[in-house]
Amino acid sequence: MIDIIEVAAAVIENNLGQILIARRKKGKAQEGLWEFPGGKIEHEETVEEGLRRELLEEMNIRIRPYASFGVNDHYYGSTHIRLIAHKAAFLGGEIVLVDHDEYRWVYPRELGEYEFAPADIKFVEMLVQGCN
């Protein structure tokens, strides 16, 4: 039986309608690829709690998850990732990178210019289609 690793991803919007993306740093799984920030959901933690905790730990920012954005099951070899995305509002904080080496605020129409981790591509497509 394959274990499913549940991972939360935040589609964080600022007041200009831009979305926060971050690039995985060298030495991390999916290094060099862009993603919507987030992380593993811990035992007995809700997606929203996990996102708030992960974004504070990994980027030093506060967010408010407010709506489910979808689920994408993806296999990296024998590893089954269930990526659960939520839209979230950026509340504040100065970004400090831990698992990433770069971040950008981009408009949804610009997302196609970046190479995303495979599990995130479904959400990129949804966002790009939403702005057409």
Side-chain angles (χ1 to χ4, degrees), residues 10-30:
V11 179
I12 304 166
E13 298 167 303
N14 65 16
N15 57 4
L16 299 174
Q18 295 169 312
I19 295 169
L20 181 64
I21 60 173
R23 188 175 65 192
R24 304 280 297 170
K25 74 179 179 184
K26 196 163 182 61
K28 293 285 181 182
Q30 308 302 311

Side-chain angles (χ1 to χ4, degrees), residues 8 41-53:
I41 301 167
E42 300 202 349
H43 183 65
E44 295 189 17
E45 187 175 53
T46 67
V47 173
E48 295 88 349
E49 289 167 344
L51 284 173
R52 284 192 292 271
R53 177 187 51 75

